Amino acid sequence: MLNNNELSMDVSGSCNEKIMRIYDTSFYCTTEELPENYLIEVLPVNKSTWILFHVSRDFSLVLNSSNLHYKKVTEASSLIDLPDGIYEFKQSIKPNIHTLVQFYHLRTTSLLNKLRHSWNRLISGKCDISRIDFLANRDRLREIDEYLLAAKYEVEECLDKKKGKELYDFAKKLLEQYTNKCKC
Amino acid sequence: MTLQRNSSNSTQINVNAKFAELKYEQLLSEKYFIETCFSKIDESYDNKQKLKDMFISIRFNTCK
């Protein structure tokens, strides 16, 4: 049963720093049988223990700082931001050992929000700068966005965590430099 | 266990991977020369121009 299914999942591109929504994008060869023992395992940033979730076909699962064991809380208002970095996922159905697939996800939400803030500030005309400086700043922010995108591709598609992390750290450094020194 | 790439389109994966590799090369060439507001030592812009073109292709998903 279900041997011809193709398991896959994706991460929703939300700006919300407190949550991460993952959802099922698998291909199922039958519409009648439900996958058994459908498991999602998550290894969050800076953690050494995999966290297990039981899901069902076409799942949509919202991860947060509480269910990822960063800080257990009982109210949504007490959730803390999920850190940027590499999250690893395992997805499997019965017989799990034979269907297990693993994915990397580089979360960039926090840095992307900071970049978006800088971009909006520049575009809105709040920075009292010349046209030449405006164009130079615009190019700097575009450059940072490219580094962030490359970091995601390096981790998620080239599966090179080290290079991806290096690209992310470089983008972060450039944005700090932009914030501190570029008069906007 | 299989380690999966996140995109299912192989053409798109190739373009994305090339983009990431070129950007990483750019990082290596730039990381020691960054000064105030990214001012750069004299350099060739060949890779940069290639990246701009690829970036647009990726954004609009029109690469062959």
Side-chain angles (χ1 to χ4, degrees):
Chain A
M1 169 183 147
L2 299 171
N3 283 340
N4 293 321
N5 295 321
E6 191 175 312
L7 294 181
S8 65
M9 45 159 276
D10 209 344
V11 181
S12 177
S14 165
C15 301
N16 190 335
E17 295 184 36
K18 295 194 187 303
I19 61 154
M20 179 195 299
R21 186 174 76 84
I22 60 174
Y23 57 96
D24 197 2
T25 55
S26 305
F27 170 78
Y28 299 99
C29 60
T30 171
T31 55
E32 292 167 6
E33 291 175 287
L34 285 174
E36 292 179 61
N37 201 33
Y38 200 157
L39 304 178
I40 296 293
E41 294 165 85
V42 186
L43 183 64
V45 176
N46 300 326
K47 296 279 188 184
S48 53
T49 310
W50 290 84
I51 299 164
L52 183 67
F53 297 89
H54 290 268
V55 294
S56 53
R57 178 177 166 155
D58 302 324
F59 69 86
S60 174
L61 176 65
V62 177
L63 304 172
N64 57 46
S65 57
S66 188
N67 61 18
L68 288 181
H69 301 181
Y70 283 109
K71 183 189 174 192
K72 281 280 182 190
V73 296
T74 51
E75 293 176 7
S77 59
S78 305
L79 291 172
I80 58 172
D81 291 347
L82 287 175
D84 278 1
I86 298 169
Y87 292 74
E88 297 185 33
F89 295 93
K90 287 179 187 170
Q91 182 179 18
S92 63
I93 53 178
K94 189 179 177 183
N96 297 68
I97 191 108
H98 297 297
T99 62
L100 188 66
V101 287
Q102 187 173 353
F103 302 90
Y104 294 150
H105 167 66
L106 175 62
R107 182 173 171 87
T108 59
T109 311
S110 172
L111 194 54
L112 209 50
N113 282 344
K114 291 188 178 98
L115 180 61
R116 189 177 292 117
H117 175 75
S118 295
W119 180 261
N120 288 341
R121 188 171 162 74
L122 178 69
I123 297 299
S124 67
K126 285 180 183 165
C127 313
D128 188 18
I129 53 175
S130 68
R131 182 71 184 161
I132 290 172
D133 285 341
F134 169 84
L135 293 175
N137 281 1
R138 183 202 61 185
D139 289 347
R140 284 171 196 133
L141 294 178
R142 283 180 175 175
E143 184 79 352
I144 295 165
D145 185 35
E146 286 187 15
Y147 273 114
L148 262 186
L149 192 60
K152 277 188 86 68
Y153 290 158
E154 200 67 70
V155 171
E156 297 176 3
E157 298 187 13
C158 304
L159 310 176
D160 191 325
K161 294 196 282 187
K162 184 175 170 290
K163 280 187 184 177
K165 184 73 171 51
E166 213 174 327
L167 284 159
Y168 176 90
D169 289 342
F170 194 62
K172 190 176 177 183
K173 183 179 162 187
L174 293 181
L175 187 58
E176 284 166 0
Q177 194 171 48
Y178 174 92
T179 309
N180 294 336
K181 297 179 180 172
C182 290
K183 299 174 190 168
C184 181
Chain B
M1 183 178 75
T2 315
L3 193 55
Q4 295 278 90
R5 291 173 169 81
N6 284 15
S7 175
S8 56
N9 180 327
S10 63
T11 306
Q12 193 62 41
I13 287 173
N14 289 340
V15 177
N16 294 354
K18 271 187 198 167
F19 173 81
E21 285 302 316
L22 277 172
K23 206 69 199 169
Y24 186 73
E25 282 179 27
Q26 190 185 342
L27 178 155
L28 294 179
S29 67
E30 289 192 0
K31 74 186 300 184
Y32 301 108
F33 298 103
I34 302 272
E35 294 170 8
T36 306
C37 286
F38 308 6
S39 62
K40 293 172 185 145
I41 307 288
D42 183 34
E43 60 173 289
S44 160
Y45 285 91
D46 285 353
N47 266 0
K48 197 160 189 168
Q49 292 309 320
K50 272 191 241 169
L51 280 163
K52 296 283 178 206
D53 291 343
M54 290 177 73
F55 191 70
I56 290 167
S57 297
I58 290 166
R59 285 296 197 207
F60 294 100
N61 201 12
T62 55
C63 8
K64 297 283 185 285

